Amino acid sequence: LLNHAGLAVLGFAVGVVAIGGVRLKAGEPAWMREVGKADVFTRGVVTSIESRTECVVTTDGGAQLTKKAADLYPANAPSDAAPDHCALIHLSEPCILDNSRVRYERNDIYTFTGRILVALNPFQSLPIYGDAMMKRFSAKSDGKEAEPHVYAIGELAYARMRRTGGSQAVVMSGESGAGKTEASKHVIEYLTSVSKFAKQQRAAAASVGADGRPGMKGGVSGSHRMSTEFAKQQSSLMLQQVADASTG
């Protein structure tokens, strides 16, 4: 997501270093990579500024380390957790990871990155799906208006299709087991439920068919449920075949 090659010490003043254009003072929080672990970050506080290129950082565990200023990333306050990574004051790899962690611990498994939705597998069932939840996203085509959710992506695609008359694509990307297939099912379920085609099916079920046979009286919702479940079943087979072919 980020090119850390652009991070560098841009200047030096008494008690201040500039990292990627951000001034970092003694006493302010920062992230640093653990030695030998490129994907692991440790949070600490800048204790002192030693030179143009070095700082002393005290980790949350109490250890004092001398680090190169270019290896530090300004940290956000824990209270600055945001539903959109782009709304963070400091935006970097460790800040994105920490924001995702804070939200995940609250069972907020979805977070926006602009118009991209980041989803974390909760490995449990959460009460965040279903008809009641779908109603909260209907007609909210602006990603800034809707809260982070897979239904928000479905509504965005549906609204653009209605507005432009053109086909829309939702791209799912992630490692095996990340939840791509489940996310796809939720999008399809949402699209099926809000589509005009489903409404036409319910109206047709309550009327007399072209062959003269009566429709399903009093069974409009049943017809809608059948069409929804049929679409989900058919799409699940297709999605599973695609997943097996791409990960096999």
Side-chain angles (χ1 to χ4, degrees):
L1 293 177
L2 300 174
N3 181 3
H4 298 304
L7 296 178
V9 176
L10 300 182
F12 176 75
V14 178
V16 178
V17 290
I19 304 171
V22 178
R23 296 169 66 86
L24 191 61
K25 303 177 182 178
E28 293 185 339
W31 291 99
M32 70 199 89
R33 291 187 188 273
E34 288 197 6
V35 178
K37 298 179 180 179
D39 297 329
V40 180
F41 296 88
T42 300
R43 186 185 175 95
V45 176
V46 176
T47 305
S48 63
I49 309 298
E50 297 299 305
S51 69
R52 180 184 296 271
T53 59
E54 290 186 339
C55 305
V56 175
V57 181
T58 301
T59 68
D60 290 349
Q64 286 195 336
L65 305 173
T66 299
K67 304 292 293 184
K68 291 182 178 180
D71 293 335
L72 299 179
Y73 305 88
N76 297 302
S79 59
D80 291 339
D84 190 329
H85 290 311
C86 295
L88 295 173
I89 296 176
H90 300 300
L91 187 61
S92 62
E93 184 179 355
C95 289
I96 289 174
L97 292 173
D98 187 57
N99 190 53
S100 299
R101 177 191 62 80
V102 171
R103 290 182 54 78
Y104 185 81
E105 291 176 349
R106 301 173 183 171
N107 285 332
D108 292 327
I109 64 172
Y110 295 116
T111 307
F112 279 130
T113 302
R115 290 299 179 93
I116 299 172
L117 183 70
V118 178
L120 302 179
N121 193 336
F123 296 101
Q124 61 176 312
S125 297
L126 296 176
I128 58 175
Y129 306 104
D131 293 340
M133 181 64 73
M134 289 182 189
K135 292 179 181 178
R136 294 170 56 178
F137 293 89
S138 180
K140 290 186 177 181
S141 59
D142 189 345
K144 296 180 180 179
E145 181 182 358
E147 62 185 282
H149 199 285
V150 68
Y151 290 164
I153 298 299
E155 175 61 27
L156 181 61
Y158 179 71
R160 285 183 175 179
M161 181 187 67
R162 291 289 303 273
R163 184 172 64 251
T164 66
S167 299
Q168 303 295 312
V170 178
V171 179
M172 304 285 181
S173 178
E175 296 181 351
S176 179
K180 299 184 297 297
T181 301
E182 288 302 314
S184 299
K185 291 178 183 178
H186 289 306
V187 171
I188 292 171
E189 183 179 23
Y190 182 84
L191 293 174
T192 305
S193 297
V194 301
S195 66
K196 183 178 180 179
F197 179 68
K199 294 180 181 179
Q200 292 174 340
Q201 280 190 318
R202 287 182 294 182
S207 63
V208 177
D211 57 359
R213 293 184 297 177
M216 298 172 60
K217 295 182 179 180
V220 175
S221 60
S223 174
H224 176 53
R225 284 196 298 270
M226 285 191 296
S227 63
T228 301
E229 290 302 318
F230 179 76
K232 288 171 61 179
Q233 291 172 5
Q234 294 299 107
S235 63
S236 295
L237 293 174
M238 178 184 68
L239 290 170
Q240 194 59 53
Q241 290 175 355
V242 172
D244 291 342
S246 60
T247 59

